[in-house]
Amino acid sequence: MQEVYITSSGSFLPNSPVSNAEMEDFLGRIHGKVSRNRERILKQNGIQTRYYALDKQQQSTHSNAELAAQAIRTALERSSLRASEIDLLCTGTTQGDLPIPGFASMVHAGLDLGDCEVSSHQSVCASGIMALKNAYSQIKSGEKPNALAVGSEFASRMFKASRFEAQGTDALPFSVEFLRWMLSDGAGAFVLQNQKNRSGISLKIEWIELKSHAHEFPVCMFTGKTDNRNETEKTWLDYASYEEASAAGAINLRQDVRLLDSLVKTGVAHYFELINQGKIQPAGIDWFCCHYSSEVFKGPIRELMIKGGGEIPDPKWFSNLPTKGNTGAASIYIMLDELLYSGRLKAGDRILCMVPESGRFITSFMHLTVVGEDKTEKKPYTIREIESPELNLSKNETSEWLIRNLAQVWIDFETELLQVPVVAKIHQGNLSLADYKLLLTDLRQQVIDGSQWISRAASHIDIGLFELRSAFIKHTAAEHKDYQLLERNFEALGEDPETIRSGEKNIGTVALTSFVFQQASKPNPIDLLGAMFIIEGIGKRLAGYWGRMIQDQLGLRDDQVSFFTYHGMADENHFHNLEKALEHPLMNLDLAKRIVKTAKTTSKLYTMQLNELGNY
């Protein structure tokens, strides 16, 4: 059996926080009247701010699937995994955007994950734990090496005033209005892997347990019917029309608050069962993340724990309900995300999570252990100010135009590079060894062609342009052995050099090399000085900088990153050769414009090459 770790997390709370006083501005006042029960309910639940994926015209600003996708993107940005490496996506929500298809399919559609298995879990608060347990179980069994689990909720759109006005009601039943002031929107996501982070901390999942008590109690939180005591009552799909179901209030979300005390007792009883089984030792718990919908329930939960001899002291409780609101299936994700990156966790800490669900009573628990270094958040490396590699040319009207325009091409290029996933990971300190090996593999397929297209270009330059031809030939000699240095780095990482030698060009490399070879085959392809400006500029300005960061965050030896660190020094001389070529006496504005266009084209294709790592 494999160990399972939460290696990164992310959350997404839409728009700006909404205060208690602002809630009706977003949900609307029914027939323009202020709610009588709002203040009483808010005083009990203790929530001060929450988030809505609605604007003040009650229009949706996001879909539920978009909330989930945003949380996943944050989790992946903090992860060593690339999106294309994800094998399983498990989602949990109370209600997706569509009745059909499954919520996981809709979330998958909004992400760049590639083909993967998906699993949709629909319940209420426990659906997020259901999704998490599926992901955990598949990794534990060895079926999958990694997975994404996400909990997401978009409850606010069920409480828009226009819905209730259309039903012709003046006052809401308390079972409906209660939830109107309790629920809010948001999403949280976890990346799960069968190995912990190389640096920083991970949360090792010791176990997850979930139990349904539906056979013991009537439905408590529900939509689709109006009477939770009548098991044979027709549901919203049994009405003659959707309009008739709506008019009857069958699509309203309701809560039988009289049953909530029983949920507290049922959850604590499950807690003591786990103590009796030896799964929980209260004295050994360092953090207790308990999902409760209202601060009013914290006291009874603690009181029952104390009476049974299983007290967890108040300083060990962690909740962000007052500031993040009750986000149902997403709550435990959002809670753990905040704790994970708070800097408060240390290796060896034990975290107990409790997630009860009032739908028809489900109780769930999860036990986590903090592993790895005490340092939790990887601090991103400082991003230097973007500036073009300096060109030292004799001043004249043409050279000044060329310098200005090549500098702008470079600034646009470097700005785009910072958005490329592999470059972003280097700067954020999240690059994995697998990412680095893939980078070497794909770069090698382009680098080995470098001397060849430059040689071809030299052979197509007229003898009358001897100085330019000579500059290209010198450049060919400098580039000739670069790919061998790259291969040695790959081998020094413990890999078979034949693996990299037999590698395939990714689609970006195909586009880049096809372009430069095409240009090199034209008569007097002087415009390729623009391509050299981009490629040598990477060496002069970025290669050594990236190499040092890669070496630092992966703990590599000099002989494993020398392709990058060498270029940081060697390409200074290469750049001087380029400057000499750009100062050729025959340089004119028309030729300068061709050079700039080729530089711009090369920059776009080089960015594409890095964006398409692994895409063959």
Side-chain angles (χ1 to χ4, degrees), residues 400-416:
E400 289 178 352
W401 184 93
L402 188 59
I403 290 171
R404 279 197 314 273
N405 284 272
L406 284 177
Q408 187 58 55
V409 169
W410 179 271
I411 289 168
D412 292 343
F413 172 52
E414 191 171 333
T415 301
E416 288 185 21

Side-chain angles (χ1 to χ4, degrees), residues 187-363:
F190 296 151
V191 174
L192 283 72
Q193 294 179 255
N194 60 7
Q195 54 188 353
K196 63 184 179 181
N197 288 320
R198 289 172 57 89
S199 61
I201 63 171
S202 304
L203 302 180
K204 180 183 176 184
I205 302 177
E206 303 290 353
W207 50 260
I208 302 174
E209 179 158 321
L210 183 146
K211 280 188 178 181
S212 168
H213 308 272
H215 60 302
E216 302 175 46
F217 299 95
V219 66
C220 177
M221 181 177 173
F222 61 99
T223 189
K225 56 187 293 186
T226 61
D227 183 357
N228 66 318
R229 304 285 173 163
N230 182 359
E231 296 288 347
T232 61
E233 178 195 8
K234 65 181 179 181
T235 72
W236 67 291
L237 290 172
D238 299 315
Y239 284 83
S241 66
Y242 296 129
E243 291 76 16
E244 186 179 329
S246 176
I251 63 170
N252 293 341
L253 185 60
R254 301 169 184 269
Q255 178 105 69
D256 186 343
V257 297
R258 297 166 297 179
L259 292 170
L260 292 177
D261 285 343
S262 296
L263 178 59
V264 170
K265 294 173 183 176
T266 302
V268 177
H270 190 181
Y271 170 71
F272 282 115
E273 286 178 23
L274 294 169
I275 291 176
N276 292 337
Q277 294 169 16
K279 288 188 170 182
I280 297 175
Q281 296 177 342
I285 298 301
D286 299 288
W287 298 93
F288 182 43
C289 294
C290 183
H291 164 61
Y292 41 80
S293 60
S294 171
E295 289 286 342
V296 77
F297 295 119
K298 180 179 178 180
I301 294 171
R302 285 200 64 222
E303 184 179 346
L304 289 172
M305 286 179 163
I306 293 169
K307 284 182 178 179
E311 177 187 9
I312 298 177
D314 193 65
K316 295 184 177 183
W317 288 53
F318 181 84
S319 173
N320 52 17
L321 177 70
T323 56
K324 303 299 193 297
N326 177 6
T327 51
S331 289
I332 196 65
Y333 291 82
I334 294 170
M335 201 182 307
L336 282 171
D337 177 58
E338 182 173 326
L339 182 59
L340 180 59
Y341 297 102
S342 67
R344 299 168 68 183
L345 296 179
K346 63 182 185 300
D349 279 358
R350 297 184 178 276
I351 305 170
L352 180 66
C353 302
M354 176 181 179
V355 181
E357 174 182 306
S358 62
R360 192 149 188 171
F361 285 18
I362 294 172
T363 56

